Amino acid sequence: MFAVVQQTLAITAPVFSMLFLGVALKRLGWIDDAFINTASSLVFRGTMPALLFLGIVKADLSTALQPALLGYFVLATLACFLIAWGWAIWRCPQVDRGIYTQGAFRGNNGIVGLALATSLYGDYGLSLGAVLGGVVILCYNSLSAIVLAIYSPHVKSGPWAIGKSILSNPLIIGVLAAMPIAYWRLPLPDWLMISTQYFAQMTLPLALICIGGTLSLASLRKSSGIAISSSLMKMVWLPLLATLGAWLWGFRDAELAILFLYFASPTAAASFVMARAVNGNHQLAAAIIVITTLAAVLTINIGLLLLQWVGWI
């Protein structure tokens, strides 16, 4: 168990370091709001789509392809999204409902989920996690685009406008562009892959520094109640329901553990980038990311311990 704690800390510590670096750089005056706006736009429109594109292209879609597991994940994600959205309608001001919902269901699977799945189950965890990751990206970005468009004062919320916002979302375009290449294993020039990788590697440092630069004690205090509620939904209640549902569905051992890790991952940095792209309450999004990332060290390890104790994994 101590080894799993160390693995979780090893994965989340770099995230914290980049967040705190963003706080420090903003305090020192090395970055300002103009830089954060420009960098966030670059991440949303360029580097993050490139990162998602590479993740799909490099994944072997024929390996560990389990329709039942993928189908359950899609249904459970939709259920978690609807639960979070319903709670937000009941408990949140209208302007914050989209940010709350996205923060409560959208996990950081690319960093935390996949890394822990690989650490625990080796090549099998990597292959299954990578295939699941493609489904994760489409589900999360589509549902986030819908709920953010509905509550954004700057985005039209009719059915046609929402559909257009989903199809024009750079993150979804990156995924859709990669899928035929991955499926048919189409070769791409080495120079193009290497250049794209250089570009994509800027994503997480830039996004996390921007999140840190946005944080302030005043904004944290202002959004603390809503942020804590969304974080509890993300790190406790929804993983509990989704994992129990997976057990009832019949999943055991590695498959159940990997599903748990994906449902229990902290809120993704992409939620901040998308919130900023639609001029939403990005400070609330940043607070949710920080709280859930801190909580992940405790909740993920407790969850794995309980699953081992009851003999499910």
Side-chain angles (χ1 to χ4, degrees):
M1 186 61 196
F2 182 67
V4 178
V5 175
Q6 286 183 311
Q7 290 168 2
T8 311
L9 284 171
I11 293 165
T12 55
V15 175
F16 294 135
S17 67
M18 288 295 102
L19 287 170
F20 294 141
L21 179 61
V23 174
L25 292 176
K26 183 71 180 294
R27 290 288 182 91
L28 291 170
W30 292 10
I31 63 174
D32 56 14
D33 290 336
F35 171 86
I36 293 172
N37 288 334
T38 303
S40 297
S41 179
L42 175 62
V43 169
F44 178 68
R45 297 177 185 276
T47 67
M48 189 166 285
L51 183 67
L52 299 178
F53 176 87
L54 283 179
I56 298 295
V57 166
K58 291 182 177 180
D60 185 358
L61 299 183
S62 63
T63 302
L65 189 61
Q66 300 185 25
L69 186 141
L70 299 178
Y72 174 77
F73 183 86
V74 171
L75 292 175
T77 297
L78 180 59
C80 290
F81 169 76
L82 293 174
I83 291 170
W85 192 3
W87 189 263
I89 291 172
W90 184 40
R91 300 287 293 179
C92 292
Q94 182 169 343
V95 69
D96 290 333
R97 289 173 186 170
I99 308 300
Y100 178 102
T101 304
Q102 182 185 218
F105 89 95
R106 183 176 190 163
N108 193 350
N109 304 128
I111 298 177
V112 179
L114 182 59
L116 282 175
T118 305
S119 296
L120 290 176
Y121 296 104
D123 290 340
Y124 180 70
L126 176 61
S127 60
L128 181 58
V131 172
L132 186 58
V135 178
V136 166
I137 293 166
L138 277 175
C139 288
Y140 285 175
N141 286 295
S142 299
L143 294 174
S144 294
I146 290 171
V147 76
L148 290 175
I150 288 173
Y151 293 108
S152 172
H154 303 281
V155 178
K156 295 180 181 179
S157 58
W160 171 251
I162 292 174
K164 186 178 178 181
S165 71
I166 293 172
L167 293 176
S168 63
N169 186 306
L171 307 182
I172 293 176
I173 291 173
V175 173
L176 294 178
M179 291 182 72
I181 297 173
Y183 182 78
W184 283 298
R185 310 307 298 168
L186 301 177
L188 294 176
D190 288 342
W191 67 265
L192 179 60
M193 293 294 289
I194 294 171
S195 299
T196 305
Q197 185 166 348
Y198 286 161
F199 186 59
Q201 284 173 341
M202 293 191 291
T203 301
L204 293 174
L206 267 182
L208 293 170
I209 286 172
C210 290
I211 293 169
T214 301
L215 289 174
S216 67
L217 290 176
S219 65
L220 285 173
R221 282 195 296 266
K222 184 178 179 181
S223 61
S224 61
I226 297 176
I228 290 172
S229 174
S230 180
S231 299
L232 283 172
M233 184 77 73
K234 178 70 194 74
M235 301 308 296
V236 179
W237 305 121
L238 295 183
L240 182 64
L241 291 173
T243 305
L244 179 59
W247 180 80
L248 292 172
W249 196 283
F251 294 109
R252 301 291 186 274
D253 301 323
E255 290 78 16
L256 181 61
I258 291 170
L259 282 171
F260 164 74
L261 291 172
Y262 271 57
F263 286 122
S265 292
T267 302
S271 63
F272 170 84
V273 177
M274 285 191 67
R276 198 161 190 116
V278 298
N279 293 320
N281 186 350
H282 56 272
Q283 292 179 329
L284 173 59
I288 294 170
I289 291 167
V290 172
I291 294 170
T292 56
T293 304
L294 284 167
V297 178
L298 183 64
T299 56
I300 288 177
N301 287 288
I302 290 176
L304 288 173
L305 180 62
L306 288 173
L307 289 173
Q308 292 171 348
W309 180 61
V310 297
W312 292 0
I313 64 173

